[in-house]
Amino acid sequence: MTYSRINTITGWLCFFTAAVTYILTLDPSASFWDCGEFIASAFRLEVVHQPGAPLVSMIQRLFSTLAFGDLTKVAYFMNIASAMASAATILFLFWTITALAKRTLVKQEEEINSSKIITIIGAGLVGALAYAFSDSFWFSAIEAEVYAMSSLCTAIALWGILKWESQADKPRADRWLAFVAYIIGLSIGVHLLNLLVIPAVIFVYYFRRTPKPTNKGIIKTFAVSILILAFVQFGIIQYMVSTAAFFDLFFVNTLSLGFGTGVLLFAILLISALTLAIRYSIKRNKKVLNLALVSTTLLIFGYSSFALLIIRAQAKPNLNNTNPENAFTFLNYVNRAQYGDRPLLYGENYNSEKIDLKETGKLYRKGSEKYESAGTNSKYVFDKNTFIPRMYSDKPEHIRFYKSWMGFDDEHKLSLADNLKYMFSFQAGHMYMRYFMWNFVGRQNNQDGQLGENGGGWLSGVKPIDAIRLGDQKNLPPSIVDNKAYNRFFFLPLILGLIGAVWHFKRNQKHAGVIALLFFFTGVAIVLYLNSVPIEPRERDYAYVGSFYAFAIWIGLSVIGLKEWLFKKLTPAKAAVFASSIGLLAAPVIMATQGWDDHNRSESYLARDISVNYLKSCAPNAILFTYGDNDTFPVWYAQEVENVRPDVRVVNLSLVNFDWAIDGMRKKQNESAPLPVSMKPNQYAAGTREVMYYQDFKIAQSIELKDIMEVLLSDNDADKITLQDGSKSNVLPTKNFKLTINPKEVVDTGTVPVEDAGKIANTMEWTYDSNYITKGTLAVLDILANNDWKRPIYFTNAMPDEQYIGLKKYLYSEGLNLRLLPLKPATAKEEIFEQVNVKPFYNNIMNNYKWGNIKYANHLDRQSADDVTMFTNMFNGLIGGLISEGKIAESKNVIDKYYAVMPDKFYSMRQIMSSFYFTENLYRLNDLNRANAFINKSADYMNKELRHLAAVSESKNQLSSEREIQVYMTYLGQMVKLTQAYKQTELSNKLEKQYNQFMTRFTPFLGS
C-alpha cells in the first residue's frame, strides 16, 4: 500500500475516532452561554450578536433539517455540526503534521521506506489525537458554538498552504493560494480569530519562494504579514463597509436618491476595479499582482456571507441584533460598536483623571427619507497616559483587583513597568499560561480560577512538583479529587511538545518558525490585542485554541525526536513503532482517559430545563425581564426553537439601551402582543436620551411615574439642562417614584387573587437607586407606567440588584422568577432578603419545574454546579415561606422533593453556604435525623477542605485562600450554634472540637 493511501486512510481514521468521541459526549440540547442564541438564530436565520457568524448559522440550519421536524432534536443536530467540524479539524491536523514530517524526513523524489512511513503516520496520530482530546478544544467540539468551525477554517488554511508549498513549482499550483484566500474570507463569517493564520501563510510563501532567506527578508516579511492582516481586518472588514456607508450618505442626503443607491454604486465600482485590475495583471503577466488581486477578490467573496444578515434584517426577525439593514447599522455591527473599545498601545490607567471629552466622529441613523445625525462618537481625554496600558478599567471591582494582584496602595501612580509586570504576571502568566497548562499538564478542577485563589488552576499529578507551587498535596480536598475535571497528565504532553519543538527547529527551522509564529499569534498576540479586564463572566480558554493547535503539531513531531534520540540503537522500524507507542500513551491515551468524564455532557439537560422553567412559571401573556447570557440565551432557544410559551415576551435588560431592541419591543413577536411602550421612535433613536443624569430638585414627596416620564421625554428646553458642550439634556428631577394602583384592575387581571385583595397597596412607592437613567431603564419605566397590570411582569432572580431599579420590596419570588406585585410591603425596611408568593412558588417546585438530571448527571460543569446552589436557595426560600404561613405538611413535601431531585454530593463552597439554611429548615420542622445527617455531611466536606488549606498554609508559612477559610470557619461556627440551639449536644460538641482545632492551626497565620 502506498504512503499516500495509508496517509489518507489513517487521516480518516482520526476523523472517525474524533467524531465518535464527540458524538458520544455531545450535549443533547442547548448549552449555556452563547449556544442558545446561536441555535435560535440559526434555526430561524436571525441576527446574532456582533460581529456575527452568518456562515455558522447557514451550516447549522442545514444540520437542523436532520431533526425531521422534531423541535426537541434541533439543538442536538446543530451540536452534531460542531462535532463534525471538530472531527474534520483533526483530519486536517493529521494531514498537516504528516506533511511537515514528510517534508523534513523525505527528500524530493526519494522513495519512502516502511520505517519512515510508520514514523510519519505515528507523528500524525499522536499530534492529531492529542489535540482531539485536549481540554479546551473538546469542550467546544460538543456544543453549537462558533469555535469548532473556527478551528476547522484555521486547519484547512494551514493545510492548504502546505499543499501549495509541496506543489509550488508545478503549473497552476497557485490555485492553492487562491483556495487559502477564499477559506480565510469564508472564516470571517465564522470568527475573526482565523485571520491570525495569515502571518503563518505569508511566511510559508516567503520561505518557499526564497531559497536563501535573510534576517532582513524575514523582518520585511513579518512587517508585510502584519500589514496584510491589518488590511483584511480593517481594510476589507471595516473600511470597505465604511466607504460604502459614506457613499450612501452622499447619494441619499446630497443627491436625494434612494437608500442603498450609494452602496450599489460602490459595489459596481469595486467589482469593476477588481475586474479591470485582474485583466491588466494577466495581460502584463504580473503574477504577484494577479495573485494579490485574485486573493483579495476571493477574500471579499468569502466575506459576502454577511449578506445573509442584511437580507434577514429586512424581515425584522425576533432576534435582530443591531438591525443591520442599512449601511450605517451594518457598519456598527461589523465594528462591534456596542462593545466599545480598549486602549492598546497608548492610553489611560485606572487612576487617570478625565479632563475632557473629545469628538472622534459623527454617527448617523436611517430616517424616513434621509440619514439623520445620531450624535457623535467621543472619547475621554485623560490627564495621564502611558504606553501599553494594561490596568485601565475604572470600574471599582477591577480597581480592587488591580491593587490586590499588584500589591498597590491607593496612592500608587502607575508606570509602564507596572503595566508590563501586570501583563506578564496576570494577562499572559496567570490567564493564558494557566489555560495552556490545563491542556497539556493537568487541571485542578473546573472552578473559576481567574482571581488566582485556590481552585481553577493547573496541576500535574506529580505531587512534589505541585507542592512547590500549591503547597502540601498529601490530602487533597473533595473540591479537587471529587471534581471530574481533576485531570492529571504528569507533564507528559508538555514534554512531548517541547521535544517536538526542539527537534523541529534543529531539522527544519523554516517550518518550525512558521508553527512558532502561528503559536505566537493565536496565543500571546491575542492576549496583547484583547487587553482583557479581570473578572470576566467566565473562563476564556476557548479563545486560545489556535495556539494549542500549533503546540499539538509539535506533540506529533516528538515521535520523530523520540525515534532519533531515544531509540537510535534499534532498527528504524522498531524505533518508529516504539516512539509512536510511547507518544500515543503519553498524550492522547492519558488525555482521553483523564478527560472523558468531565467532557461527557450526554446526560446534561440543565440549560434547556432551566430556560423552560423560566418560561413555564410565568402567567399567560407575561413580560419576563432577563439579564446577561445565561439568563437569556437558553430562553431564546426554548421560545424560538421548541416554541415553549410563545406568549411570554422576553426582554433582555443588557440590550434595551439600543434603539433596535426597543423597536423589537414595539412589535408583535411570536404570540406576544407589542409591549406598552409609549415612546415614539424619535424619542429613543440612536444618539437620543442615551443617559440622563439625576439633578436633585429637592422634591420631598413621591412623583407619579407617568409625570416623571413626561419630564424625561419632554422636548421642551425648560425641562432640560445645558451640558458643558452646549447641548441640552433631559434630567431626572427626583428618585422618589410612585405608581398609583387601581385595585379593581389588579384583581380583574388576575395579578392578585380576590382573597388577597386586602393586601393590595393604594400606591407603589419606591426609591430609584442610581444617579442616572439610561435609555433602557427609560423603556422599562415606560412599560411599568403604561402596563396597567394587563400583563404580568417578572424579573429573573439571578441578575444584579441594580437591574431591579429599586423595586425589590414589590418583587416576590415564585421560584426562578420574581413577580412584580402591588402589595403592601410587609416591612418598612428597604433591604428585603426575599419575599415569596407561596402558592405559585409551591406549584412550580412541585409540579412545573424540571431539574436537568442534576441528581444523576455524570458531571456538572461550573455553571451547572452554581445552579445547584441557586436551586438550594430556592428551596430554602419556599420552605421558609411555608413555615411562616404555618403550612407544615407542604413544607415537608418540599423537603421530600429536594431529596428527590437534588444531588447528594457537594460541588462547591457556595453550596455549603446554601445548605446550611436548608439544614436550619430541617431542624425547624423537627426532622432531626435528616438535619443531623446533613450537618455531618457538611462538616465532613468542610473538614477535608480546611485540613487541606491548613496543610497548605503550614507548608507555605502563610495563610492560603483566606476567603475560603473565613467562609468555612464561619459556617462551621454557625453549625455549632445551630446544633446547640436544637439540643443536639453530642453533635455540637463534636463540631466545636473541630472548630477549635482548626482555629489553633490557623491562628499563627492570622494577620500575617
Side-chain angles (χ1 to χ4, degrees), residues 741-760 788-789 822:
I741 307 301
N742 181 341
K744 186 176 184 304
E745 284 181 346
V746 175
V747 172
D748 289 348
T749 58
T751 303
V752 174
V754 176
E755 61 267 26
D756 292 333
K759 298 179 182 178
I760 299 173
D788 297 327
W789 306 102

Side-chain angles (χ1 to χ4, degrees), residues 760-778:
I760 299 173
N762 293 322
T763 61
M764 287 172 54
E765 297 187 29
W766 73 98
T767 301
Y768 180 66
D769 54 3
S770 178
N771 288 321
Y772 58 88
I773 277 188
T774 63
K775 185 187 299 181
T777 309
L778 187 65

Side-chain angles (χ1 to χ4, degrees), residues 226-299:
I226 298 299
L227 288 174
I228 293 174
L229 178 59
F231 170 72
V232 177
Q233 167 71 40
F234 300 107
I236 292 179
I237 296 175
Q238 295 180 18
Y239 294 144
M240 185 176 72
V241 178
S242 176
T243 304
F246 282 96
F247 258 72
D248 212 44
L249 177 69
F250 174 77
F251 275 75
V252 173
N253 285 24
T254 304
L255 303 182
S256 298
L257 297 175
F259 289 108
T261 310
V263 174
L264 180 61
L265 179 65
F266 174 77
I268 292 171
L269 290 175
L270 179 64
I271 294 169
S272 300
L274 286 170
T275 303
L276 291 172
I278 290 171
R279 285 173 59 86
Y280 170 82
S281 67
I282 294 171
K283 286 182 178 179
R284 298 300 179 99
N285 199 29
K286 296 183 178 293
K287 293 184 178 180
V288 175
L289 176 62
N290 178 262
L291 178 62
L293 290 169
V294 170
S295 297
T296 300
T297 302
L298 289 170
L299 278 165

Side-chain angles (χ1 to χ4, degrees), residues 882-918:
L882 288 167
I883 293 174
S884 298
E885 293 188 2
K887 297 178 178 179
I888 303 304
E890 289 88 340
S891 299
K892 291 181 177 180
N893 290 340
V894 175
I895 293 285
D896 291 339
K897 186 72 172 182
Y898 176 92
Y899 280 95
V901 300
M902 297 295 285
D904 295 325
K905 64 178 288 187
F906 290 122
Y907 285 92
S908 67
M909 178 179 70
R910 290 179 61 201
Q911 195 179 348
I912 286 287
M913 295 160 65
S914 61
S915 69
F916 172 82
Y917 299 102
F918 181 76

